[in-house]
Amino acid sequence: MTDETATTTDVTGTGSAATDMDVAGADVTGTDVAGAAGTGGGRSADGDGAAGADDVLVTVEGLEVHFPIKRGIVLERTVGYVYAVDGIDLTIRRGETYGLVGESGCGKTTMGRGLLRLVEPTGGRVVFDDTDVSTLKGETLRKSRRRMQMIFQDPLSSLDPRQSVESILVEGMRAHGLDSGKESTRARLVELLDSVGLPESALHKYPHEFSGGQRQRIGIARALAVEPDLIVADEPVSALDVSVQAQVLNLLEELQQRLGLTYLVIAHDLAVVRHISDRIGVMYLGSLVEEASSDEMYAEPMHPYTKALLSAVPVPDPTVEDEREQILLTGDLPSPANPPTGCRFHTRCPWKQDTLCDTDRPELREVGDGHRVACHYAEDIAAGRITRHEVEPELVHPDT
Amino acid sequence: MALLDVRDLSVVFKRKGTRPFTAVDGVSFSVEPGQTVGLVGESGSGKSVTSLAIMGLLPKRGAEIGGSVTFSDTELLTLSDKQLRDRRGRDLGMVFQDPLSSLNPVITIGLQITEVLERHRGMTRKEARVEAAELLDRVGLPDPQRRIDEYPHQLSGGMRQRVLIAIALACRPKLLIADEPTTALDVTIQAQILSLLSELVSETDTALIMITHDLGVVAGLCDDVNVMYGGRIVERAQRHDLFERSRHPYTHGLLQSIPRLNAPRGEPLTPIRGSVSDNIEWEQGCAFAPRCPNATDVCWSEPPELKADDGRMLRCHNPVAIGDAVTEGAL
């Protein structure tokens, strides 16, 4: 038991947990554990400062997740693949929020899951704090999970209805050897609940007794319970009422500042992503089409898809709405099982050219300070040398 | 003369062993021919129940409907089922949120459209088929001649919604009710559907009631906007007035709490405290009082009335002062 705690301590690198073990039961423990909660706390100062520097926490290189399509009952054979995530390179710096946007079916959720190895990537690498996560196995993989947590979209279905809040929160701590005695665990739980704005009395309640916003707070507390460095938040507010979304968004930001957390926020709502993220990646059919700082992405989108996406978001301001020039895309998202040749957006792109677009897949290339775009003609479009044209909608079958 | 006049509409759900639940309470509004009216609110605000009551789609047992709904001089609430069926689909059309569950999965989309045309416009099957293909073409379904024989599952979400709109518009209704028609769709598809709706509505001079939780959708589309909270209308104004000078603390709070694409970044949002509660009480006082920053004693003891104020209708004892009402992000 003591050994195990010691190992955990090594992983955490705080040292305080081990001392807690020795003086288990004492009142001091509570405060000490509280201190340990700030694993990120100590880091937050330099984390914030280094957000702009090259202090990289996660590097994703050529990540691929292809799901096989199988036919046949007895003799199962693979007849094709769904290219859910098809070659993604990105880096997430310590202490920053990276926003991943895209429409349904673009692979953003699979990307987040592949990064955490909740689905097994079929290619590429994920390096988390100098450790190649993609080669980890068994116990080392399980231990590495403590540092990467996830917040899900639907807080009701991601919380076990038959577990009390206390048991939900303690489960993860126990799995990672972080519950070091009754008193200290209790103090830690109260502190966790307090940090997400819930009263102590919530410990003995069950998920159904809470409102949607409160449930999402429990989901956040559960992720925080194991003192992670990275939190992948998949659509953290889209199931919530408009008036409650802001509460949860503010809470996420406040926790990041206090604990020095790094976020990967996956969402379809561009206004939400822009609000919370430092940098944004836009996904289309399994790959990144553009990446830039949040401000630049909205001020000067370069990829035709980003332009269309931004122009499609309704703004709650009639004056803006009246004057807005919309770029309406025609047709639907092509099937990721049968993606178009060349640039995957060429079937719907209003700036499509006769050469390159339908034959060569564009690389995600650097076009300015940290601004990357995957379009052959990005500069020409930006300079106005190419103009928009009509696109004939192509038929898309959802099941092929 | 208004096309649709809703007066004092109330819906109370009753079930044995539970307290009656008032979902809609004293809702009044009217829709002129060709006008687009928005009903905005969060979940539980009663916006969908209002639309179902207008269409006569609430169950006869268990739901007690009061007030009146007059549609071009006919009282809808007292019509028999048969009379109502005759009206629905012909004069009144409806588009729902989830296109997959509102289409019949085992019937081709062509047949689902021709059914309406045969019943209400007395066409033969052959004529109806030609008309159906034309309708599908008009709502922007590519290759309608071939698609007409396909089943709903063979279409994408956006295309299914187009089919529903085609069905709703098949008989050129005078009023179309769209209940969250784009909520299940992606943002680029949402833009397509919204522009299609506003185009069709202005072409055919159809009146439209747009029910949504998304203030952005309302801002670009509606002439008049009704904001609902806890089953009652709390503010009604023309869209520019509503968005630029919201007076009800709820509307004001909503506008302040949504992240905007066009607002400067880096500032925390101003949320509305608390959350929508299930048992909202208007009998004792204002149902929004527990969450309202302006609440005073009178808000807890006296239910506010919907009154004309500053060119709008407002249900509030302590509205946001006119000077403060400008939402900063909007400018």
Side-chain angles (χ1 to χ4, degrees), chain A residues 91-93 96-99 277-281 291-294 370:
Chain A
T91 56
I92 304 172
R93 299 177 195 131
E96 83 168 345
T97 303
Y98 190 98
S277 310
D278 301 304
R279 286 191 305 141
I280 294 177
E291 181 186 73
S293 74
S294 189

Side-chain angles (χ1 to χ4, degrees), chain B residues 16 46 56 58 75 122 127 134 136 149 181 201 227 259 275 281 330:
Chain B
K16 246 187 204 161
L58 286 171
E75 171 62 52
E127 287 165 356
E134 258 167 45
L136 288 176
D149 293 319
V201 162
V227 181
S275 59
E281 290 293 345

Side-chain angles (χ1 to χ4, degrees), chain B residues 273-284:
Chain B
R273 67 174 176 224
S275 59
V276 185
S277 116
D278 286 337
N279 41 351
I280 286 177
E281 290 293 345
W282 283 100
E283 281 79 40
Q284 309 298 321

Side-chain angles (χ1 to χ4, degrees), chain A residues 17-265:
Chain A
T19 12
D20 294 343
M21 200 52 211
D22 299 335
V23 266
D27 251 354
V28 203
T29 348
T31 33
D32 261 16
V33 175
T39 321
R43 202 178 274 147
S44 75
D46 43 79
D48 276 354
D54 283 344
D55 186 7
V56 172
L57 182 67
V58 185
T59 311
V60 177
E61 286 170 10
L63 191 72
E64 284 177 5
V65 182
H66 297 171
F67 296 110
I69 306 170
K70 306 225 166 161
R71 288 276 154 81
I73 300 159
V74 182
L75 296 166
E76 226 180 41
R77 65 210 149 83
T78 304
V79 292
Y81 288 94
V82 172
Y83 302 94
V85 175
D86 200 18
I88 284 195
D89 298 282
L90 60 86
T91 56
I92 304 172
R93 299 177 195 131
R94 216 181 283 278
E96 83 168 345
T97 303
Y98 190 98
L100 207 54
V101 278
E103 298 180 277
S104 49
C106 74
K108 55 188 192 302
T109 295
T110 311
M111 159 72 203
R113 289 175 182 244
L115 191 149
L116 296 176
R117 277 187 73 188
L118 294 176
V119 293
E120 209 53 53
T122 46
R125 267 174 13 122
V126 177
V127 180
F128 180 83
D129 208 8
D130 297 333
T131 322
D132 189 345
V133 188
S134 28
T135 57
L136 293 183
K137 278 198 191 90
E139 189 59 12
T140 36
L141 174 64
R142 193 187 71 83
K143 285 216 176 97
S144 75
R145 290 252 158 87
R146 187 193 62 75
R147 301 183 59 192
M148 308 178 249
Q149 286 293 310
M150 187 146 186
I151 299 171
F152 299 90
Q153 169 171 4
D154 180 357
L156 190 56
S157 64
S158 59
L159 299 172
D160 183 346
R162 287 182 293 185
Q163 268 185 303
S164 67
V165 171
E166 178 171 19
S167 137
I168 288 171
L169 295 181
V170 165
E171 195 173 24
M173 293 167 68
R174 195 160 289 155
H176 291 287
L178 294 172
D179 70 327
S180 43
K182 224 176 167 181
E183 291 282 320
S184 61
T185 305
R186 173 94 192 167
R188 172 79 179 120
L189 290 180
V190 173
E191 189 213 332
L192 271 175
L193 285 178
D194 184 55
S195 65
V196 296
L198 288 175
E200 192 181 337
S201 58
L203 276 181
H204 302 294
K205 290 188 180 169
Y206 290 82
H208 75 268
E209 296 177 72
F210 296 92
S211 69
Q214 286 171 326
R215 276 181 212 135
Q216 196 56 292
R217 286 169 194 268
I218 297 169
I220 294 171
R222 173 176 62 181
L224 290 177
V226 294
E227 300 155 30
D229 299 281
L230 173 74
I231 290 186
V232 175
D234 190 358
E235 301 275 8
V237 297
S238 48
L240 305 177
D241 265 320
V242 192
S243 69
V244 180
Q245 288 191 357
Q247 296 173 3
V248 173
L249 287 177
N250 281 354
L251 173 67
L252 284 173
E253 288 194 316
E254 182 203 314
L255 289 169
Q256 178 171 48
Q257 275 170 14
R258 203 149 51 93
L259 304 174
L261 297 166
T262 306
Y263 289 146
L264 174 65
V265 175

